[in-house]
């Protein structure tokens, strides 16, 4: 694998040759490496063409969005072209290179309120920066990405096939998803009725998709732009809360450590609301607490679907990794459901 990575890297217009290539980060989709040359560092990624089959459109989206952000003075990903001026290299796999953004860190859990508050402000500002981006320039690289009722149908299909015979191992989680099936449609239905605006959204706003300054903890750059597509801002708010307002990692096995944290929710809401209070609509504001629940239960459903399907989608490190992940999400979703009122009040007071 590393040999393939060394070979792929040779095809890019980089400063110097790779001295060292190491696996890097905690992403679940692409295989990411940190490359060191004599003078600088790069991120090299083996692109996941199973998840994103259309690499041309994917990279066109990313180039268009990063140009838009850069023109507005925001720090963003820089796509390093290949030696033939293409945005990615097509070999046995497809590969791309970004400048490594130095002096930054990513977190797998919120280390303190400040980091999460800053990420909330940054994702809110990201939303504002894309408010005038022409959505018709974007290809919907994964259609229906956050269509939760459809995700539920996919889950039911995987359950009925049960190709790995794993359903007995997750009876409690299956029961949770079935018991909640009446709760999955509110955002999809409100979008369909035109009650919520379609915006250009990130769609994958977990805390490790934002680079924080290693010294000041200020947000530096929103990364992982693969899923920038038309969507609802509720997807972005909810997904951030799902990941960052938990007291434990997404794959914590000991569920006693996993709780939804109201203080972390408030910290994120403070940053986020400060950025979007001039642009968010009333129906969107009202659904913010529900979006946290919905994105969390949806993610749990997706992990469980993949567990049932034999780990075809998310990268996993051990046998029941997807089940462990699903369990944390469903535990969090259950706790969030009981906090709507408190969450609603926290959001409302910060929108004034
Ligand atoms: P995936 O789609 O698999 O989640 P990401 O694009 O999010 O892949 O990259 C995985 C991780 O690599 C990120 O969470 C971050 O820690 C790191 N990373 C990605 N791009 C950069 C970059 N340009 N500079 C510094 N770190 C990066
Ligand atoms: C994936 O790519 P990454 O690891 O940042 C996934 C998200 C999930 C997330 C769960 C394209 O995000 O939708 O919410 O894992 N990305 C894609 O951690 O499916
Ligand atoms: Mg990522």
């Amino acid at each position: 694998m590393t040999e393939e990575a060394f070979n792929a890297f040779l095809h890019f217009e980089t400063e110097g040759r790779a001295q060292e290539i190491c696996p890097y980060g905690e992403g679940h989709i692409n295989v990411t490496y940190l490359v060191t040359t004599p003078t600088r560092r790069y991120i090299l990624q083996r692109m996941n063409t199973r998840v994103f089959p259309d690499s041309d459109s994917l990279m066109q989206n990313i180039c268009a969005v990063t140009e838009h952000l850069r023109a507005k003075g925001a720090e963003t990903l820089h796509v390093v072209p290949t030696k033939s001026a293409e945005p990615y290299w097509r070999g046995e796999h497809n590969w791309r290179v970004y400048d490594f953004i130095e002096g930054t860190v990513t977190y797998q859990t919120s280390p303190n309120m400040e980091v999460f508050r800053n990420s909330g402000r940054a994702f809110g500002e990201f939303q504002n920066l894309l408010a005038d981006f022409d959505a018709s320039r974007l290809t919907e690289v994964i259609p229906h990405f956050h269509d939760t009722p459809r995700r539920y149908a996919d889950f039911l299909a995987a359950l009925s096939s049960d190709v790995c015979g794993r359903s007995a191992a997750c009876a409690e989680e299956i029961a949770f998803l079935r018991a909640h099936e009446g709760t999955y449609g509110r955002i999809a239905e409100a979008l369909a009725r035109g009650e919520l605006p379609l915006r250009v959204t990130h769609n994958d706003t977990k805390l490790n998709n934002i680079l924080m300054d290693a010294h000041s903890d200020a947000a530096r750059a929103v990364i992982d732009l693969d899923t920038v597509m038309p969507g609802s801002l509720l997807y972005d708010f909810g997904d951030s809360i799902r990941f960052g307002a938990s007291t434990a990692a997404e794959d914590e096995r000991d569920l006693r450590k996993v709780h939804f944290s109201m203080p972390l929710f408030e910290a994120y809401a403070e940053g986020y609301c400060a950025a979007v209070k001039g642009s968010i609509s009333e129906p969107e504001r009202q659904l913010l607490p529900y979006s946290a629940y919905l994105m969390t239960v949806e993610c749990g459903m997706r992990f469980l679907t993949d567990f049932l399907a034999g780990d075809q989608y998310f990268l996993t490190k051990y046998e029941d990794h997807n089940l462990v992940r699903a369990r944390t999400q469903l535990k969090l979703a259950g706790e969030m459901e009981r906090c709507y009122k408190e969450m609603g009040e926290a959001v409302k007071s910060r929108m004034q």
Side-chain angles (χ1 to χ4, degrees), residues 15-323:
E15 201 179 282
R17 291 218 177 169
Q19 282 179 318
E20 201 186 351
I21 299 191
C22 307
Y24 191 77
E26 297 286 332
H28 297 345
I29 302 296
N30 300 293
V31 181
T32 301
Y33 299 93
L34 174 62
V35 182
T36 308
T37 74
T39 51
R40 49 171 306 167
R41 301 198 288 178
Y42 294 94
I43 286 285
L44 168 69
Q45 285 183 326
R46 194 183 86 191
M47 297 161 71
N48 187 330
T49 47
R50 183 166 189 153
V51 169
F52 296 102
D54 182 355
S55 297
D56 286 337
S57 298
L58 175 71
M59 293 311 291
Q60 270 165 25
N61 283 358
I62 291 175
C63 291
V65 167
T66 52
E67 275 162 28
H68 182 89
L69 295 171
R70 199 169 296 110
K72 293 195 167 190
E75 192 168 7
T76 186
L77 290 171
H78 175 252
V79 176
V80 177
T82 66
K83 288 183 171 156
S84 43
E86 301 294 337
Y88 72 98
W89 180 69
R90 199 180 273 276
E92 198 180 319
H93 295 98
N94 293 349
W95 297 81
R96 66 184 169 199
V97 172
Y98 293 123
D99 286 345
F100 183 80
I101 302 181
E102 295 287 351
T104 61
V105 285
T106 45
Y107 295 103
Q108 307 311 320
T109 53
S110 299
N112 56 53
M113 300 296 151
E114 191 61 15
V115 162
F116 201 40
R117 183 180 299 112
N118 291 345
S119 78
R121 185 184 283 269
F123 278 124
E125 279 163 5
F126 181 84
Q127 168 76 73
N128 292 339
L129 288 167
L130 291 177
D132 62 344
F133 184 90
D134 175 7
S136 70
R137 294 175 64 197
L138 291 175
T139 302
E140 213 175 343
V141 282
I142 306 182
H144 312 290
F145 191 60
H146 282 304
D147 183 336
T148 316
R150 232 178 227 263
R151 294 287 189 182
Y152 184 61
D154 293 345
F155 158 72
L156 290 177
L159 177 60
S160 90
S161 310
D162 196 15
V163 288
C164 301
R166 286 174 161 182
S167 63
C170 49
E172 235 181 275
E173 291 72 28
I174 294 166
F176 182 100
L177 291 176
R178 284 195 186 283
H180 285 76
E181 73 181 2
T183 67
Y184 302 145
R186 284 175 69 188
I187 294 179
E189 285 157 17
L191 278 170
R193 285 196 299 264
E195 290 164 12
L196 294 172
L198 207 57
R199 302 174 184 268
V200 175
T201 47
H202 183 283
N203 296 306
D204 188 4
T205 50
K206 58 182 179 178
L207 187 59
N208 66 17
N209 284 331
I210 187 163
L211 301 178
M212 311 300 292
D213 191 275
H215 303 294
S216 70
D217 273 346
R220 288 267 302 273
V222 170
I223 60 164
D224 202 345
L225 303 173
D226 291 340
T227 49
V228 175
M229 289 183 286
S232 166
L233 68 66
L234 294 164
Y235 304 153
D236 285 1
F237 180 85
D239 198 41
S240 285
I241 299 302
R242 169 190 84 70
F243 189 86
S246 170
T247 54
E250 190 186 58
D251 58 357
E252 173 57 59
R253 194 180 275 278
D254 183 355
L255 288 180
R256 288 169 307 184
K257 295 183 182 161
V258 181
H259 293 289
F260 167 58
S261 158
M262 224 15 240
L264 281 166
F265 176 87
E266 285 174 15
Y268 189 90
E270 200 168 286
Y272 184 80
C273 295
V276 306
K277 63 182 172 190
S279 52
I280 194 167
S281 70
E282 184 54 21
E284 288 173 318
R285 183 187 67 74
Q286 284 181 8
L287 284 171
L288 288 172
Y290 166 77
S291 76
Y293 156 80
L294 189 69
M295 289 299 99
T296 308
V297 79
E298 179 192 276
C299 194
M301 179 187 295
R302 291 176 61 199
F303 286 141
L304 202 63
T305 303
D306 201 32
F307 176 68
L308 291 167
D311 310 317
Q312 302 289 312
Y313 186 96
F314 296 105
L315 299 178
T316 51
K317 291 185 178 153
Y318 50 86
E319 167 95 15
D320 62 347
H321 204 165
N322 273 317
L323 176 57

